[in-house]
Amino acid sequence: MTAVSVNGKLEQVATEPETALLYVLRNHLGLKGTRFGCGLALCGSCMVLVDGRPSYSCDVPVGSLEGREITTIEGLSSPEDPHPVATAVVEGQAAQCGYCISGIVVSAVALLGDNADPSADEVRRALDGNLCRCGAHNRIVRAVLSAAAELRERNR
């Protein structure tokens, strides 16, 4: 058994410590928002937050995460109360196929946690580890900047 804290809840999973976090999230915990993309920590579809930092879940053994907090796309918000980044992505029509977008939202949330007023170039750099084959990057950047403005307004 491996103990892992996911979205604020301590979970006990029956798996080997070297099992990739991605498979624990999807197969043991039923959290399907984190997706398998390349399996090589290159595309970002599997991005989650580990202690608030973006991390490729396909490349992290679950046994290395004891005592650390993992946040998935499901842990960032709910359909009833979506995160401003998720809202901005939808409103800005920034997701086409949607496969990569959960990883992009996770990375964007981490950026905005560190930098409440990023430039477009800073957003692009923060999302450099996330690939979108649909070519929606410009709309995604605009959506993240819109979410940043919304969050700043909320925090006034």
Side-chain angles (χ1 to χ4, degrees):
M1 290 294 255
T2 302
V4 62
S5 180
V6 178
N7 299 331
K9 183 179 176 191
L10 187 61
E11 302 280 1
Q12 297 286 335
V13 291
T15 189
E16 298 297 321
E18 58 274 357
T19 302
L21 173 61
L22 173 65
Y23 301 119
V24 170
L25 295 172
R26 292 183 60 80
N27 301 336
H28 294 270
L29 302 179
L31 299 170
K32 305 293 186 183
T34 304
R35 296 193 171 87
F36 178 87
C38 66
L40 301 170
L42 297 172
C43 75
S45 291
C46 68
M47 199 70 73
V48 297
L49 299 177
V50 176
D51 295 335
R53 308 297 330 139
S55 182
Y56 297 98
S57 65
C58 72
D59 196 32
V60 176
V62 71
S64 70
L65 298 170
E66 278 195 56
R68 302 183 73 190
E69 178 59 37
I70 296 122
T71 306
T72 68
I73 188 74
E74 293 92 346
L76 293 176
S77 62
S78 68
E80 299 79 29
D81 185 25
H83 191 282
V85 173
T87 299
V89 164
V90 171
E91 289 176 356
Q93 298 180 7
Q96 286 187 25
C97 82
Y99 200 83
C100 65
I101 206 67
S102 61
I104 289 172
V105 169
V106 167
S107 294
V109 167
L111 166 67
L112 298 181
D114 291 339
N115 182 352
D117 192 12
S119 68
D121 284 340
E122 289 170 321
V123 172
R124 284 185 187 90
R125 279 194 299 278
L127 300 181
D128 190 48
N130 299 88
L131 301 179
C132 172
R133 299 209 184 272
C134 296
H137 284 287
N138 289 330
R139 284 182 282 168
I140 292 166
V141 170
R142 285 193 298 270
V144 173
L145 293 172
S146 174
E150 170 66 23
L151 286 167
R152 286 192 308 275
E153 185 64 30
R154 283 186 188 185
N155 292 327
R156 284 189 182 194

